Amino acid sequence: MSFIRAASKVAQQVLLAPGCSCEPLYVSARCISFSPRQVTSDASFHSVSFSETDHPKVLITGGLGQLGVGLAKLLRKQFGNNNVILSDIRKPPNDVFHSGPFIYSDILDYKNLREIVVNNRITWLVHYSALLSAVGEANVTLARDVNITGLHNILDIAVEHGLRLFVPSTIGAFGPTSPRNPTPDLCIQRPRTIYGVSKVHAELMGEYYHHRYGLDFRCLRYPGIISADSQPGGGTTDYAVQIFHDAIKTGKFVCNLKPDTRLPMMFIDDCLRATLEVMEAPAEMLSMRTYNINAMSFTPEELAQEVQKQLPDLEVSYEIDPVRQAIADSWPMNFEDSNARKDWGWKHEYDLAELVQMMLNFIGSDSRVAHVN
């Protein structure tokens, strides 16, 4: 039995995401009164699995965000350039477009997604499309559509075509009643942002589909991710990226969180490696489907002091954003990630000092090149 998609749209809304071109996002009715397991004979080749000696064929949604380009680069080194497809609703920059396969993909367009998976014989799907915490609070309707409705399309397609599915979660999946220092894998969550609510929804739906339909669902709760090759994208932890850009360009940094706000953080290289490792881990090694991962935990004041060891003239001031501060105060101060370390051998490589050195080296060299040009 194949999926039956409603012939008429029950709702059609044109939504504009901050920083994105205007794209029509469709919310469609669909019939899902059957088991997704019944659809695996729908196409002649879509359910073909790959052996341990074959490379997966990977689709990354939301590929132009903070993590997608970096993950594509890592996976292409591992599996071959043409086996990893980046997708987004935005036009890619030239370097991304010429670095490997890129296609348009709107996660709210089920038919478009299904055609991509079938035509490209996708076996792994990495679902990075999401609106982050602060942006989501500014546009709850759009966040609900992208983060929840889009996820439902991804889950249905992953089950229909027997995909291995990775959906990231976040420190934002916890709330003010969660244990904060440390926060274990299993505890009360109850977040108070649409971003956090949608991520808890993703965790639970993914685990449900795993137990109900056998979906190979894998999820990591990322801490704040710090990377030098992307601009801050509307997250509460973005101060930990912005400080490096401002330190090099102006020598002055205004932080929108209190100086003693402690949050778990991770350098992007560790994050991307963890994602690859959990996707490659044999299923029998996974005692759960959603894991915390952690590397370090610091405050804005501690980060500023570490940066000032390298740039002693940096001036730091604080202008607190009440929305972001309230979000940060509800999040974990430190992640407990012993299950990831025990089950599939997770181990971070970068601590605070190494993180600061890497960020300053990268942004500093990039800034010098731009100045020369």
Side-chain angles (χ1 to χ4, degrees), residues 294-361:
N294 198 18
M296 66 194 89
S297 183
F298 56 75
T299 67
E301 185 174 45
E302 291 169 349
L303 177 59
Q305 290 171 352
E306 193 66 37
V307 175
Q308 286 168 334
K309 292 179 182 179
Q310 306 290 327
L311 299 173
D313 294 333
L314 172 64
E315 299 177 13
V316 179
S317 58
Y318 296 88
E319 294 180 6
I320 310 306
D321 179 337
V323 174
R324 295 192 187 212
Q325 186 64 52
I327 293 172
D329 288 343
S330 71
W331 283 359
M333 299 169 67
N334 193 25
F335 258 162
E336 200 283 307
D337 63 353
S338 60
N339 285 314
R341 295 176 186 268
K342 171 173 60 71
D343 286 1
W344 44 276
W346 161 241
K347 184 179 181 181
H348 71 279
E349 293 182 359
Y350 293 90
D351 291 316
L352 179 57
E354 291 86 357
L355 163 72
V356 169
Q357 192 64 60
M358 289 290 291
M359 291 291 288
L360 290 176
N361 288 346

Side-chain angles (χ1 to χ4, degrees), residues 34 57 96-97 112 117 233 277 315 354:
F34 52 88
K57 193 69 179 287
V96 173
F97 182 76
N112 170 244
V117 168
E277 288 177 0
E315 299 177 13
E354 291 86 357

Side-chain angles (χ1 to χ4, degrees), residues 171 199 352:
I171 53 175
K199 287 301 184 180
L352 179 57

Side-chain angles (χ1 to χ4, degrees), residues 94-155:
N94 286 336
D95 60 325
V96 173
F97 182 76
H98 293 293
S99 65
F102 181 93
I103 56 177
Y104 171 88
S105 175
D106 179 352
I107 62 167
L108 294 183
D109 185 340
Y110 180 91
K111 184 176 182 290
N112 170 244
L113 279 174
R114 193 170 187 241
E115 288 175 350
I116 291 169
V117 168
V118 170
N119 291 342
N120 294 282
R121 304 187 69 176
I122 298 301
T123 54
W124 285 13
L125 203 165
V126 177
H127 180 50
Y128 273 155
S129 295
L131 262 66
L132 300 183
S133 54
V135 172
E137 290 307 289
N139 196 334
V140 172
T141 300
L142 180 60
R144 184 187 62 211
D145 288 342
V146 173
N147 295 8
I148 296 178
T149 304
L151 170 77
H152 294 171
N153 288 339
I154 292 293
L155 286 168

Side-chain angles (χ1 to χ4, degrees), residues 141-354:
T141 300
L142 180 60
R144 184 187 62 211
D145 288 342
V146 173
N147 295 8
I148 296 178
T149 304
L151 170 77
H152 294 171
N153 288 339
I154 292 293
L155 286 168
D156 287 348
I157 287 169
V159 171
E160 179 183 4
H161 298 287
L163 309 184
R164 180 171 297 180
L165 174 63
F166 178 83
V167 179
S169 190
T170 167
I171 53 175
F174 297 92
T177 55
S178 305
R180 298 186 65 212
N181 192 20
T183 303
D185 286 302
L186 300 176
C187 64
I188 189 169
Q189 292 183 251
R190 304 192 70 82
R192 291 186 178 176
T193 65
I194 185 61
Y195 177 60
V197 168
S198 69
K199 287 301 184 180
V200 173
H201 179 76
E203 293 176 13
L204 295 177
M205 287 294 289
E207 291 179 16
Y208 172 77
Y209 269 57
H210 170 67
H211 293 295
R212 179 69 175 82
Y213 302 121
L215 173 65
D216 190 356
F217 171 80
R218 303 177 184 213
C219 176
L220 297 178
R221 293 193 188 110
Y222 291 156
I225 304 302
I226 301 173
S227 63
D229 56 355
S230 62
Q231 293 295 319
T236 300
T237 59
D238 278 354
Y239 85 88
V241 175
Q242 191 66 52
I243 187 174
F244 294 101
H245 291 277
D246 291 355
I248 289 172
K249 292 177 182 177
T250 68
K252 297 180 180 180
F253 172 63
V254 179
C255 183
N256 53 29
L257 296 181
K258 295 177 182 177
D260 61 349
T261 305
R262 183 172 299 280
L263 292 168
M265 300 283 188
M266 180 178 289
F267 186 53
I268 189 169
D269 287 12
D270 276 340
C271 171
L272 300 179
R273 181 171 53 83
T275 303
L276 173 59
E277 288 177 0
V278 78
M279 284 296 280
E280 288 190 310
E284 60 270 17
M285 294 176 63
L286 306 179
S287 64
M288 55 185 64
R289 290 287 157 166
T290 299
Y291 289 91
N292 292 346
I293 55 169
N294 198 18
M296 66 194 89
S297 183
F298 56 75
T299 67
E301 185 174 45
E302 291 169 349
L303 177 59
Q305 290 171 352
E306 193 66 37
V307 175
Q308 286 168 334
K309 292 179 182 179
Q310 306 290 327
L311 299 173
D313 294 333
L314 172 64
E315 299 177 13
V316 179
S317 58
Y318 296 88
E319 294 180 6
I320 310 306
D321 179 337
V323 174
R324 295 192 187 212
Q325 186 64 52
I327 293 172
D329 288 343
S330 71
W331 283 359
M333 299 169 67
N334 193 25
F335 258 162
E336 200 283 307
D337 63 353
S338 60
N339 285 314
R341 295 176 186 268
K342 171 173 60 71
D343 286 1
W344 44 276
W346 161 241
K347 184 179 181 181
H348 71 279
E349 293 182 359
Y350 293 90
D351 291 316
L352 179 57
E354 291 86 357

